[in-house]
Amino acid sequence: SMPKLPFDVDDEDLTTDQKFQACRSGLRLVGLVASIDPDRDGVPESVELARGAGIRVVMITGDYLKTAIAIAHNVKILHKEENEESAAVDCATLRPNDEYLPHDRMDALTSSVRVFARARPEDKLEIVKSLQRQGLVTAMTGDGVNDAPALNQANIGVAMGIQGTEVAKGASDMILTD
């Protein structure tokens, strides 16, 4: 059975903050849990091969900026000597006050940034459009419903076959099977 709460649940005068404050007293930290999604085998080598072939690799992720930067370093999208502040941005920078930057400013940003963090589905689409306005050929990989608009817009949409959703596969030009 559940232990008694440290406040009267029937007291409608108590605010949520007061209830949380009452619950926070007398706590003891007993441990922490952390998890990591390991990089897929071969990704750093693939990034290096792509770069050697003249392909600019850009990562667009929903992860927080610091997490995205760490991942980008691990898979060699970013290098230690690079200025992270100019090479990686939170996608909120693309849409101050919830409106996207004008095309010229968006294009200036996307022409140099290689890591876009905390991306919404519409951010992915706007980044692809911006790169295309610059005359670049875009390939986009994705596996989720939220990737579908950008997969469809890209010159080459590439869905992940094993873990990809049917929506992502349907929006893509190519499906990876392994």
Side-chain angles (χ1 to χ4, degrees):
S1 80
M2 189 167 143
K4 187 174 179 336
L5 290 173
F7 58 87
D8 180 3
V9 293
D10 296 323
D11 185 351
E12 294 181 15
D13 293 329
L14 283 176
T15 67
T16 302
D17 287 341
Q18 291 170 324
K19 291 176 184 176
F20 277 120
Q21 183 61 39
C23 289
R24 284 195 302 256
S25 63
L27 297 178
R28 181 184 315 160
L29 178 65
V30 293
L32 296 173
V33 175
S35 68
I36 186 166
D37 228 355
D39 309 325
R40 290 193 176 108
D41 288 339
V43 171
E45 295 80 11
S46 296
V47 169
E48 289 292 321
L49 282 171
R51 184 175 284 130
I55 298 169
R56 181 173 157 235
V57 179
V58 175
M59 183 172 80
I60 308 172
T61 179
D63 288 323
Y64 283 96
L65 184 58
K66 287 188 181 230
T67 304
I69 289 170
I71 293 167
H73 278 295
N74 288 345
V75 299
K76 300 187 179 180
I77 292 172
L78 292 179
H79 293 102
K80 290 178 186 173
E81 64 276 358
E82 288 184 272
N83 178 356
E84 291 173 359
E85 288 183 22
S86 61
V89 298
D90 186 306
C91 281
T93 343
L94 307 177
R95 47 182 157 69
N97 304 315
D98 281 333
E99 285 190 31
Y100 284 102
L101 296 169
H103 287 177
D104 60 332
R105 290 183 53 211
M106 175 75 86
D107 295 351
L109 194 63
T110 61
S111 70
S112 61
V113 171
R114 289 199 319 282
V115 177
F116 294 92
R118 290 189 19 169
R120 298 176 180 170
E122 56 271 23
D123 296 335
K124 297 174 185 184
L125 178 61
E126 291 301 317
I127 292 165
V128 169
K129 287 180 178 178
S130 173
L131 295 169
Q132 289 173 328
R133 277 194 303 272
Q134 296 167 53
L136 299 171
V137 174
T138 59
M140 173 79 183
T141 62
D143 59 7
V145 172
N146 62 341
D147 297 318
L151 287 167
N152 189 53
Q153 177 67 39
N155 298 91
I156 307 165
V158 183
M160 305 301 171
I162 294 171
Q163 63 193 27
T165 63
E166 291 305 313
V167 173
K169 292 176 191 176
S172 297
D173 302 295
M174 180 186 309
I175 301 170
L176 297 179
T177 57
D178 65 350

